[in-house]
Amino acid sequence: MTTTSLRPSHGDIMDRTRSGMLLAGGDYSFKGRGGTTFEDRAEPDWTSEMFGARIPETAARGKALFWEGAPAEHIFQIVEGVVRLFRIFPDGRRVVMGFAFPGDVLGIAVKDRYLFTAEAVTPVRMRRASRERLSAQLAEQPQVAAIIFDRMRDELCAVQDQMLLLLCQAAETRIVKFLVRVARKSPGAIEHGEEFELPMLRTDIADHLGLTMETVCRTMTKLRRDGLIAMRGPHKIQIRNARRLLEAAGREETDDADEAWG
Amino acid sequence: MTTTSLRPSHGDIMDRTRSGMLLAGGDYSFKGRGGTTFEDRAEPDWTSEMFGARIPETAARGKALFWEGAPAEHIFQIVEGVVRLFRIFPDGRRVVMGFAFPGDVLGIAVKDRYLFTAEAVTPVRMRRASRERLSAQLAEQPQVAAIIFDRMRDELCAVQDQMLLLLCQAAETRIVKFLVRVARKSPGAIEHGEEFELPMLRTDIADHLGLTMETVCRTMTKLRRDGLIAMRGPHKIQIRNARRLLEAAGREETDDADEAWG
DNA sequence: CGATGCGTTGACATGCCTCAACCTGAGTGG
DNA sequence: CCACTCAGGTTGAGGCATGTCAACGCATCG
């Protein structure tokens, strides 16, 4: 869990590479995904034959995996690290559509061009497969198509979930829910109050939740003062009172929500 | 175009019927869809063999096509009228995920249970097909699967689009964008300033845009006072200054946006 | 005629944004 | 080793847009 503090040699390989495609952030909708890197997962799924067992490529922090509008030639699977997915608008506004975590696949739901830019938040390791290979697999192996189909449904649910979060929710609720979602990826973070990584920048979070960086800061400070969380630097978070935190998430996060979307 | 003023005999058939499944609102992302009813469309697509040529069922205003959480047994295609798709939260909050218009298909992206309730905003005519039939078609006819796949991508884009609308957008921008989207469905509404139908309730719009009913009212009154639109009753809208209206939508709506998602 | 559902408008409170100052740690160069 | 710079983060003061609460309008319906 040294993503943030890691100083990668350099990210030559991915530097300015244009490729891949995206499926946004299937991130949130999966349950029980443990571990930090993808290899930890127990799921021996379609991705192994899709992406092969080659040594993953790497991308240094801040490097783009692909750009919004570029021809979508590849799909990517994140092996380690975190990626932000965002669009820039003519007026300069940035919207972070989501974040991709280990195990997530980018570029499946796309037609011919990437819908947004994917940028490494932390040093990233990833695997790549050509779009053609995906099509071939889809045609040959019906069960792969079914899995992809399912994935897209999950994806759809995740985006809708995010939409719900943005609707009629106070800033604190949004931030707490976001923290809980990220914490869920680190086993023990919620149940045992173990420190977990919040690698993205405050501005990333703000642009993701439709808030300003200042509001994110203030709210997290408030959560800290109220004893719900503790912080060791901006990116090391610890949940100190899970019950109250989940309450602050507005109840949905504790029981249903994830269930409801299944 | 008499949807709102129509007084249907009554909606016995659909009353409390539990069935179908949903694809949310593929609504916004389609271009060039003209006409009021689905039959007007030139697209001789998969839906004809899927749904057959039977006489469409009807649902009276306010009746549910299916309920959130109910087993998803059918898919529906809206032939005429407008449907709202929403979820209710434990705290009583309602979120309108989207609206379904003629031609839209509900229930494709669902697994086994409906993700939200679909309710007739206006008297609705619709066609129904069983989930099994969908599966059969998918297995037999690869090209149908491809179309469905495409639809889901469109769907995903539409939801993301809606998400963007909710992020860092002022109330007026959201409402104007929404108006433009609905107006797009009526040819001539934007280019020639012809009156068009805005069948949904103010509360529907509010719950869809993450605003209050009051804010929706006030903003629309402001648009009227500023000469951008005219209103003949709450549901008959006329665009009086398309240029300024599209400007108020924040530029994205005029050129890109729809393009960007293609 | 009153009841009801939906829409509109007003007065007021407040949560978030804006603008601005300052902090902190890491990298850099003398 | 220190001074400097820079990016990211934190905190504060103040304003404004939107939510809240409340009254009223206006159709429809029994």
Side-chain angles (χ1 to χ4, degrees), chain B residues 223-262:
Chain B
L223 292 174
R224 182 165 45 71
R225 274 202 302 262
D226 294 352
L228 300 197
I229 64 172
M231 292 166 55
R232 198 163 58 82
H235 304 290
K236 308 276 191 190
I237 310 294
Q238 193 190 355
I239 294 178
R240 305 212 71 133
N241 191 329
R243 192 182 51 74
R244 285 214 288 149
L245 196 73
L246 291 171
E247 270 175 24
R251 197 95 277 268
E252 292 113 45
E253 200 71 16
T254 70
D255 346 290
D256 31 281
D258 275 11
E259 289 302 310
W261 288 115

Side-chain angles (χ1 to χ4, degrees), chain B residues 105-224:
Chain B
V105 177
L106 301 177
I108 287 188
V110 134
K111 287 183 183 168
D112 52 347
R113 294 185 172 272
Y114 295 115
L115 297 180
F116 35 84
T117 302
E119 219 174 67
V121 172
T122 69
V124 161
R125 285 198 300 138
M126 64 206 169
R127 297 188 289 187
R128 180 199 298 248
S130 74
R131 200 87 198 289
E132 291 146 20
R133 189 178 173 86
L134 173 67
S135 304
Q137 292 258 355
L138 285 179
E140 290 169 19
Q141 309 204 359
Q143 76 272 25
V144 171
I147 293 174
I148 299 282
F149 206 74
D150 258 29
R151 277 261 178 163
M152 281 189 66
R153 286 201 283 230
D154 289 339
E155 180 61 15
L156 199 56
C157 290
V159 179
Q160 287 184 353
D161 209 7
Q162 175 67 9
M163 207 176 93
L164 293 178
L165 190 151
L166 297 174
L167 277 160
C168 41
Q169 297 276 20
E172 182 171 322
T173 313
R174 300 189 199 181
I175 291 172
V176 169
K177 283 193 172 186
F178 179 74
L179 286 177
V180 170
R181 285 174 172 183
V182 175
R184 281 237 177 85
K185 299 186 175 300
S186 302
I190 296 181
E191 317 87 63
H192 306 112
E194 290 166 20
E195 184 177 275
F196 69 96
E197 200 72 23
L198 188 71
M200 49 290 281
L201 306 182
R202 293 290 188 263
T203 47
D204 291 336
I205 300 173
D207 290 348
H208 183 50
L209 300 178
L211 302 169
T212 61
M213 197 194 59
E214 292 92 330
T215 301
V216 173
C217 275
R218 271 189 267 266
T219 305
M220 291 193 62
T221 301
K222 179 177 181 299
L223 292 174
R224 182 165 45 71

Side-chain angles (χ1 to χ4, degrees), chain A residues 7 170-172 210-212 214-215 218:
Chain A
R7 287 251 65 76
E172 182 172 322
L211 302 169
T212 60
E214 292 92 330
T215 300
R218 271 188 267 268

